[in-house]
Amino acid sequence: VASPKEKTPMCLVNELARFNRIQPQYKLLNERGPAHAKIFTVQLTLGEQMWEAEGSSIKKAQHAAASKALNETTLPKPMPRPPKNNVNNNPGSITPTVELNGLAMKRGEPAIYRPLDPKPIPNYRANYNFRGMYNQRYHCPVPKIFYVQLTVGNCEFFGEGKTRQAARHNAAMKALQALQNEPIPEKLPQNGETGKESEEDKDANKSEISVVFEIALKRNIPVSFEVIKESGPPHMKSFVTRVTVGEFTAEGEGNSKKLSKKRAAMAVLQELKKLPPLPVIEKPKLYFKKRPKPILKTGPEYGQGMNPISRLAQIQQAKKEKEPEYVLLSERGMPRRREFVMQVKVGSEVTTGTGPNKKIAKRNAAEAMLLQLGYKASTPLQDQPEKLGENKSWNGQNVGFPEPTSNS
């Protein structure tokens, strides 16, 4: 299967036939083989020439015949079309303005576009070949040309185009050609103000409005923004915002409230930066009392009422010692009267416990180990498992097993 960008053989044959003003004709000659593996034979006729080809489907057979015809035909072929040139000469449809914005951000120099008034061009194309007086007012229209001035740092570029956007693209391409090979300028501290360098770097990532609020908060000054004027048609509104920071007042104008607010903040920032720096107040160091160490879980009464297995594990963790190790020693008795013997080891201490199942035997072994280590016995829990010697049948009724009588 050809990729979407490549033309199929049948498509190329159609172009060849259109160029020679003939009609390609495909004819199914034969089909053979079982239903699940058919083989089709197709004949292609171009003028007086004919080709035959086979394929597993009619379409594949047609493509095979078309590719054979392209290789063997003697008809004159059309000239291949040249590939379309990218208007911006940039890969991936990136416009010159977008590419220039990225370069300008790296250089730290914003790209500013200013529209220029078009130059008056005398109308030399007037149609003076008129018939009668009424045709004097009809003449060929002169295409309007837009001019744009682009400023990047200290460099200026001029662009022109049929539209304002085309003029911006033209100026951006000229700027790219001039600035791509130049090194990125390094930011040097002005007037030896190395102390303010870190603050300026921090403020560079913040908006002007945020910086105004921060300065006002540090100096305990009230801040207020107010839209004082709104003019222009609905599609080209113009707003004027006034900012008041204590004794300082400034105004900003823009085509949106946000832009006018930002420009007002930029204007008032110039005044706020002239204020003397605030005196540095050293904060007293806070001394925190050390937290008392948690009570170690090693008291003899700790954990009464807990499960002996959990109690023993917590005590070992509090001592930062190895956790207890449980081993099943033996399993004896009749199938319905099993008895399990479980051993627990803590350091060098070893105890055992017995029970009708492994869980109770493990619990009894842990309880014996606690008593051996000097802890008080755990009180029996309310949700203690089923009592020894009692099992429950399938319907939940208690089934008691009589104690075996000794014959000895």
Side-chain angles (χ1 to χ4, degrees), residues 98-108 175-176 179-180 184:
V98 173
E99 192 174 352
L100 179 64
N101 286 341
L103 180 62
M105 286 178 66
K106 288 181 182 177
R107 296 176 61 86
L176 282 172
L179 298 176
Q180 270 179 343
I184 296 175

Side-chain angles (χ1 to χ4, degrees), residues 51-259:
W51 296 270
E52 292 183 8
E54 295 181 346
S56 56
S57 68
I58 296 176
K59 183 64 71 175
K60 289 181 180 179
Q62 288 175 338
H63 281 306
S67 59
K68 190 183 291 187
L70 289 171
N71 294 330
E72 299 176 3
T73 183
T74 56
L75 295 172
K77 295 183 180 180
M79 293 292 292
R81 292 182 180 179
K84 292 183 180 180
N85 292 326
N86 200 345
V87 178
N88 307 323
N89 296 323
N90 289 329
S93 71
I94 298 176
T95 59
T97 51
V98 173
E99 192 174 352
L100 179 64
N101 286 341
L103 180 62
M105 286 178 66
K106 288 181 182 177
R107 296 176 61 86
E109 300 169 343
I112 301 170
Y113 297 88
R114 292 188 182 87
L116 300 177
D117 294 330
K119 299 175 182 177
I121 302 174
N123 184 13
Y124 294 115
R125 296 185 181 181
N127 185 8
Y128 295 109
N129 299 325
F130 53 85
R131 297 178 182 177
M133 298 298 294
Y134 290 103
N135 289 335
Q136 289 186 19
R137 58 184 175 181
Y138 297 110
H139 57 272
C140 298
V142 179
K144 189 177 180 181
I145 299 176
F146 293 86
Y147 297 91
V148 168
Q149 177 189 4
L150 169 61
T151 307
V152 182
N154 300 324
C155 305
E156 286 189 356
F157 306 93
F158 295 91
E160 59 183 41
K162 294 181 180 179
T163 62
R164 197 174 298 281
Q165 191 65 24
R168 294 176 64 164
H169 287 321
N170 183 252
M173 287 183 69
K174 293 178 181 177
L176 282 172
Q177 292 172 359
L179 298 176
Q180 270 179 343
N181 299 326
E182 290 191 8
I184 296 175
E186 296 180 0
K187 294 182 181 179
L188 298 174
Q190 296 178 355
N191 301 329
E193 296 177 354
T194 55
K196 296 182 180 179
E197 188 176 359
S198 60
E199 293 183 6
E200 291 177 359
D201 290 342
K202 290 180 183 176
D203 293 345
N205 297 327
K206 299 177 184 176
S207 67
E208 290 78 4
I209 302 169
S210 302
V211 176
V212 167
F213 275 105
E214 284 186 6
I215 294 174
L217 184 63
K218 288 177 183 178
R219 297 180 178 272
N220 199 14
I221 306 173
V223 180
S224 67
F225 287 90
E226 182 185 1
V227 179
I228 59 173
K229 188 178 178 183
E230 182 177 338
S231 59
H235 66 283
M236 289 181 64
K237 284 278 188 184
S238 178
F239 300 91
V240 178
T241 301
R242 178 187 294 160
V243 57
T244 306
V245 184
E247 302 175 355
F248 303 99
T249 305
E251 293 182 1
E253 186 177 358
N255 56 4
S256 68
K257 293 181 181 179
K258 185 176 179 181
L259 182 60

Side-chain angles (χ1 to χ4, degrees), residues 363 380-386:
R363 186 182 182 126
L381 299 174
Q382 293 179 0
D383 57 344
Q384 194 153 357
E386 54 267 35

